[in-house]
């Protein structure tokens, strides 16, 4: 069980005296703990973190159709505890004008390549002027990997399964003929005590706090979960929320198929990254058990259906992303540029 005590809030203040960080604009589609870890690292580089999120139109133009709508993505990013301010409809190409507009000293992005539909580095301008910094990308997780789990319907990502079935089948998904990169490959993630400490708030309940326990799978942590935790937070003036996570085997028992999509270790960090972040036999006997309606109908099943509906488009997008990673990182004497030119 992991206590998460901070209330959800959108912070927007003037940061005239702060060393503001403008975290590189991203799509933040299917927000996962890798995104959260990037934002955690970015926040550590300065005092005030502003995050820009692209529109559906921009993402579709440069990358392909997003799984989540822009409003859903805005809400998910706001729910991450290290985000101080969010910019809606951020431009896909980050310019000096953009940084100046929001009084940012520099921008931050992961060490993965980001190109426009025309093959241009989206951070070229800010890199040339020294207003660009990189943080380490979290290996073992990517949107590509999560989409693959949903489409392949295997269970190798569960915490107690050592089968090679999932690895064998991923060869046909999100991967070019030259092999896989560690940034878009299969998750072999196991969270460490250090990572849990980095994500956790470390706060203990205080006198007068109302301790509230909730439990579930919290799989593919999404805005339905955020809305639920927000509703729980409103049940008391001084809530202290403890979130219990079901083990992978228990989730698979009542959900079936290849659920959960994220294993227990991954779901742990996903919940801990949220600002508000229980068997129920004892609470029921004591009369302290309540059912809370989140007011949001989104479920993990809905997300899976969105992926399946656009399977071919996502496969093409993931293979293109893999090719870009390999093109950027493979040593070569002859370079093939995105526009088809060759240069020695």
């Amino acid at each position: 069980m992991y206590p998460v005590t901070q209330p959800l809030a959108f912070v927007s203040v003037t940061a005239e005296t702060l060393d503001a960080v403008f975290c590189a604009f991203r799509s933040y589609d299917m927000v996962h703990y890798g995104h959260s870890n990037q934002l955690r690292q970015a926040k550590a580089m300065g005092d005030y973190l502003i995050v820009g999120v692209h529109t559906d139109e921009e993402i579709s133009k440069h990358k392909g159709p997003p799984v989540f709508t822009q409003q859903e993505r805005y809400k998910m990013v706001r729910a991450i505890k290290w985000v101080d301010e969010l910019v809606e409809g951020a431009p896909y190409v980050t310019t000096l004008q953009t940084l100046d507009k929001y009084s940012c000293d520099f921008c931050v992005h992961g060490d993965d390549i980001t190109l426009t539909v025309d093959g241009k580095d989206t951070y070229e301008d800010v890199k040339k002027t020294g207003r660009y910094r990189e943080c380490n990308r979290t290996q073992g997780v990517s949107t590509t990997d999560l989409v693959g789990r949903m489409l392949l319907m295997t269970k190798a990502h569960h915490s107690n399964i050592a089968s090679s079935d999932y690895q064998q089948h991923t060869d046909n998904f999100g991967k070019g003929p030259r092999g896989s990169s560690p940034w878009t490959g299969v998750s072999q993630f196991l969270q460490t005590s250090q990572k849990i400490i980095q994500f956790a708030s470390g706060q203990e309940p205080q006198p007068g706090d109302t301790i509230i326990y909730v439990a579930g799978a919290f799989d593919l942590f999404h805005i339905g979960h955020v809305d639920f935790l927000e509703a729980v937070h409103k049940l008391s003036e001084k809530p202290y929320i403890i979130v219990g996570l079901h083990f992978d085997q228990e989730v698979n028992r009542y959900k079936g198929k290849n659920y959960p999509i994220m294993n227990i270790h991954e779901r742990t960090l996903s919940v801990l990254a949220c600002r508000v972040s229980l068997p129920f036999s004892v609470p029921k006997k004591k009369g302290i058990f309540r059912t809370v309606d989140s007011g949001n109908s989104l479920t993990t099943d809905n997300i899976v259906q969105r992926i399946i509906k656009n399977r071919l488009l996502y496969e093409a997008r993931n293979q293109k992303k893999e090719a870009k990673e390999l093109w950027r990182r493979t040593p070569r004497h002859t370079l093939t540029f995105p526009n088809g030119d060759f240069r020695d």
Side-chain angles (χ1 to χ4, degrees), residues 54-222:
H54 309 313
T55 63
D56 295 342
E57 182 180 2
E58 283 279 83
I59 297 173
S60 298
K61 175 182 176 182
H62 295 280
K63 298 179 65 174
V67 178
F68 290 91
T69 68
Q70 59 198 46
Q71 293 301 325
E72 291 171 333
R73 290 182 287 109
Y74 296 157
K75 185 160 192 171
M76 276 303 301
V77 175
R78 284 194 177 104
I80 297 174
K81 63 172 68 174
W82 297 285
V83 176
D84 293 309
E85 185 176 343
L86 183 135
V87 174
E88 298 183 359
Y92 199 78
V93 176
T94 303
T95 64
L96 295 175
Q97 289 74 20
T98 300
L99 296 186
D100 293 339
K101 179 179 179 180
Y102 297 99
S103 302
C104 294
D105 296 290
F106 57 90
C107 67
V108 182
H109 192 263
D111 54 2
D112 55 315
I113 190 171
T114 304
L115 303 176
T116 66
V117 68
D118 300 321
K120 179 185 177 182
D121 185 343
T122 56
Y123 301 101
E124 181 178 334
D125 292 344
V126 292
K127 286 179 178 178
K128 288 179 179 178
T129 57
R131 295 175 68 179
Y132 175 84
R133 298 186 188 180
E134 280 189 353
C135 58
N136 296 325
R137 184 167 177 175
T138 306
Q139 295 193 28
V141 63
S142 68
T143 303
T144 303
D145 182 20
L146 296 177
V147 171
R149 297 182 198 182
M150 287 180 258
L151 294 178
L152 297 173
M153 298 301 291
T154 57
K155 301 179 183 179
H157 56 281
H158 291 179
S159 58
N160 71 331
I161 296 179
S163 168
S164 62
D165 180 58
Y166 183 63
Q167 177 68 60
Q168 293 171 352
H169 284 83
T170 51
D171 288 343
N172 295 322
F173 185 83
K175 176 177 170 182
R178 299 175 64 184
S180 157
S181 82
W183 294 270
T184 55
V186 182
S187 173
Q188 299 297 331
F189 174 79
L190 179 65
Q191 98 272 44
T192 63
S193 298
Q194 180 184 13
K195 188 64 66 181
I196 292 178
I197 292 172
Q198 290 172 338
F199 271 55
S201 64
Q203 297 180 15
E204 297 292 333
Q206 302 299 313
D209 284 354
T210 299
I211 300 177
I212 305 174
Y213 178 74
V214 299
F218 290 92
D219 196 15
L220 289 178
F221 195 79
H222 52 71

Side-chain angles (χ1 to χ4, degrees), residues 19 21 40-47 106 108 133-135:
D19 187 19
V21 179
R40 180 190 65 80
Q41 294 178 73
K43 182 61 180 288
M45 296 181 186
D47 301 301
F106 57 90
V108 182
R133 298 186 188 180
E134 280 189 353
C135 58

Side-chain angles (χ1 to χ4, degrees), residues 5-19:
T5 59
Q6 301 174 348
L8 284 172
F10 171 60
V11 181
S12 179
V13 300
T14 301
E16 295 177 352
T17 62
L18 299 181
D19 187 19

Side-chain angles (χ1 to χ4, degrees), residues 251-262:
V251 177
N252 188 252
R253 182 189 65 78
Y254 64 75
K255 289 280 291 183
K257 299 180 181 178
N258 68 329
Y259 292 105
I261 303 301
M262 301 183 87

